[in-house]
Amino acid sequence: MRRASALSDAKIDLPAADLDHLRLPDLEALRRPFSTHKPRILILYGSLRQVSFSRLLAMEAKRLLEHFGAEVKVFDPSGLPLPDDAPVSHPKVQELRDLSEWSEGQVWVSPERHGTLTGIMKAQIDWIPLSIGAIRPTQGKTLAVMQVSGGSQSFNAVNAMRLLGRWMRMITIPNQSSVAKAWQEFDGNGRMKPSSYYERVVDVCEELVKFTLLTRDISGYLTDRYSERKEAAVKAVNLKAM
């Protein structure tokens, strides 16, 4: 059955579609009351070095996100085993999965290594499954991507993380940050210096909070899909027939 919508009254011939599972856009479903708790943001970073510029950038993002009203948690990847090299009951794996489930938005910060994100960053993402039973741990959550480089500015790591975010069914915001020659951009106290790079980090954090506030209460509706509704109906019929 189609839900009412003010957007379309056209009758289009769609012979390949199952009309019982088509849904017109529902304006009321997009106008649900906003939750009042702080946006919950998880930050992952991709380096274990003692002086880690991705960690410093992650902490700078944490301060900014808290300024914009978010509740922020940063996952320490130290001690996280390689994917498939330990059971999912491993404490660090469970910590990461619990934080991912808790979050409404995430920030991924990686150095660029060999033209892409680091293995440490990828391992964290790989431990967060696309689905656990009927639950999709990252679907509909917002995502911001940032990278640090030792040399000239590059976008290889953020581009790779965008691809992964799409694969994890996340809402990746348009803005991103790539900090070139990161060793020049932080002072002796580990704080980021004023620069155009810092301004872009501010932009990304501000935008992430806005997108999270805008989408977190309707993420279920935004990610409701025709193909999955149809598949669920077929499974229900098959189970009933057993």
Side-chain angles (χ1 to χ4, degrees):
M1 179 182 295
R2 296 186 178 191
R3 297 188 69 172
S5 172
L7 296 180
S8 174
D9 58 5
K11 294 184 178 178
I12 310 297
D13 184 27
L14 300 170
D18 185 336
L19 299 183
D20 288 337
H21 301 294
L22 285 180
R23 300 286 186 270
L24 295 177
D26 185 345
L27 295 180
E28 292 307 311
L30 295 169
R31 296 189 180 116
R32 292 176 185 168
F34 287 129
S35 294
T36 56
H37 66 271
K38 293 183 176 184
R40 300 192 293 261
I41 306 297
L42 168 64
I43 301 180
L44 307 180
Y45 60 89
S47 171
L48 297 178
R49 290 179 175 176
Q50 185 174 3
V51 179
S52 166
F53 294 109
S54 64
R55 183 172 64 248
L56 293 180
L57 182 56
M59 297 310 295
E60 204 68 49
K62 178 179 185 291
R63 298 180 189 99
L64 286 164
L65 290 165
E66 289 175 339
H67 173 79
F68 290 126
E71 180 182 357
V72 185
K73 296 184 180 181
V74 181
F75 177 72
D76 178 0
S78 180
L80 182 72
L82 290 172
D84 304 325
D85 196 36
V88 296
S89 58
H90 189 284
K92 289 296 290 189
V93 175
Q94 282 302 304
E95 178 188 355
L96 175 58
R97 290 189 172 194
D98 289 346
L99 285 172
S100 181
E101 186 175 347
W102 165 85
S103 70
E104 296 168 327
Q106 297 186 15
V107 182
W108 296 351
V109 188
S110 179
E112 180 175 327
R113 184 170 295 170
H114 299 313
T116 188
L117 71 162
T118 62
I120 294 164
M121 190 76 235
K122 183 64 162 55
Q124 293 173 80
I125 298 168
D126 285 348
W127 270 121
I128 303 172
L130 188 62
S131 63
I132 302 176
I135 299 173
R136 300 188 186 277
T138 53
Q139 177 168 264
K141 298 180 189 294
T142 53
L143 172 66
V145 292
M146 303 184 188
Q147 76 169 73
V148 293
S149 302
S152 59
Q153 190 173 43
S154 166
F155 301 95
N156 291 326
V158 288
N159 287 341
M161 288 188 287
R162 280 188 177 279
L163 186 153
L164 291 167
R166 184 172 73 245
W167 188 256
M168 300 297 283
R169 299 185 174 186
M170 303 180 80
I171 303 169
T172 309
I173 67 170
N175 222 328
Q176 62 187 24
S177 168
S178 175
V179 180
K181 297 182 180 179
W183 49 276
Q184 292 183 341
E185 299 303 320
F186 293 86
D187 63 23
N189 295 317
R191 298 304 304 271
M192 199 168 181
K193 301 174 184 176
S195 69
S196 60
Y197 293 130
Y198 177 77
E199 291 171 2
R200 177 57 66 89
V201 174
V202 177
D203 289 346
V204 171
C205 293
E206 181 181 19
E207 188 172 290
L208 178 65
V209 172
K210 289 177 181 177
F211 269 77
T212 305
L213 290 170
L214 185 66
T215 62
R216 65 179 179 176
D217 295 304
I218 57 172
S219 63
Y221 176 69
L222 292 174
T223 55
D224 181 40
R225 297 178 178 85
Y226 163 77
S227 59
E228 293 180 353
R229 291 194 298 269
K230 186 176 177 183
E231 180 183 4
V234 171
K235 287 181 179 177
V237 170
N238 291 339
L239 285 173
K240 201 171 183 181
M242 291 177 65

